Amino acid sequence: MSRKKIHVPIKNGRANIAGMNIKKIRLAKNPELSQNGLATLIQLEGIPMTKNTVQRMEAGQGTINDIQLVAFAKVLKVDVKDLLDESVYKSDCHSEEVHYPPYSENENTISAATQEPEYK
């Protein structure tokens, strides 16, 4: 069975809201804290992270799960809600329109969603 690509909802060209806030807060609190330094601090919280992952997240190209979000908030010494503040996000966007990938419910989609994945 081939692996199907998962489409991440994209809002104004970004796959996350928190990334822009992470970058803004990182640079405001400690301008010398690099993406590599931030990745290292996240690793010290027990979460695998590389500089490239931080770079993608801050650029809005990578998704951020809840465990990572909590770690970023702890390391940056802010509340999680500060990382999810959409005011910075909206000010950098030209449109409020949400763009979701086309979705059509058919037998293959329903079948794939109800079956256990095959691991090789």
Side-chain angles (χ1 to χ4, degrees):
M1 183 172 163
S2 66
R3 199 167 205 192
K4 296 185 181 184
K5 185 173 181 174
I6 297 173
H7 293 283
V8 176
I10 303 295
K11 186 174 180 180
N12 298 323
R14 297 184 65 86
N16 68 57
I17 293 170
M20 191 180 299
N21 290 319
I22 289 169
K23 181 176 184 178
K24 179 186 105 174
I25 293 166
R26 173 176 64 85
L27 294 174
K29 286 190 167 252
N30 187 351
E32 286 100 38
L33 181 60
S34 65
Q35 291 172 333
N36 191 48
L38 181 56
T40 300
L41 293 173
I42 297 295
Q43 288 172 12
L44 292 173
E45 293 298 317
I47 297 171
M49 184 81 51
T50 66
K51 177 230 174 228
N52 290 339
T53 303
V54 172
Q55 183 179 21
R56 282 192 305 276
M57 289 174 174
E58 286 186 352
Q61 297 169 349
T63 58
I64 303 171
N65 67 38
D66 56 353
I67 295 169
Q68 293 167 329
L69 191 65
V70 170
F72 277 115
K74 183 176 180 183
V75 165
L76 294 171
K77 297 180 177 139
V78 296
D79 289 331
V80 170
K81 67 180 182 175
D82 295 329
L83 298 179
L84 296 174
D85 179 13
E86 287 191 75
S87 63
V88 171
Y89 172 77
K90 289 178 182 177
S91 68
D92 191 57
C93 298
H94 301 291
S95 166
E96 302 266 340
E97 187 177 342
V98 178
H99 299 281
Y100 293 100
Y103 174 79
S104 64
E105 191 172 291
N106 59 38
E107 282 185 33
N108 292 336
T109 305
I110 294 169
S111 163
T114 58
Q115 295 175 357
E116 291 291 321
E118 292 179 25
Y119 296 104
K120 295 184 180 182

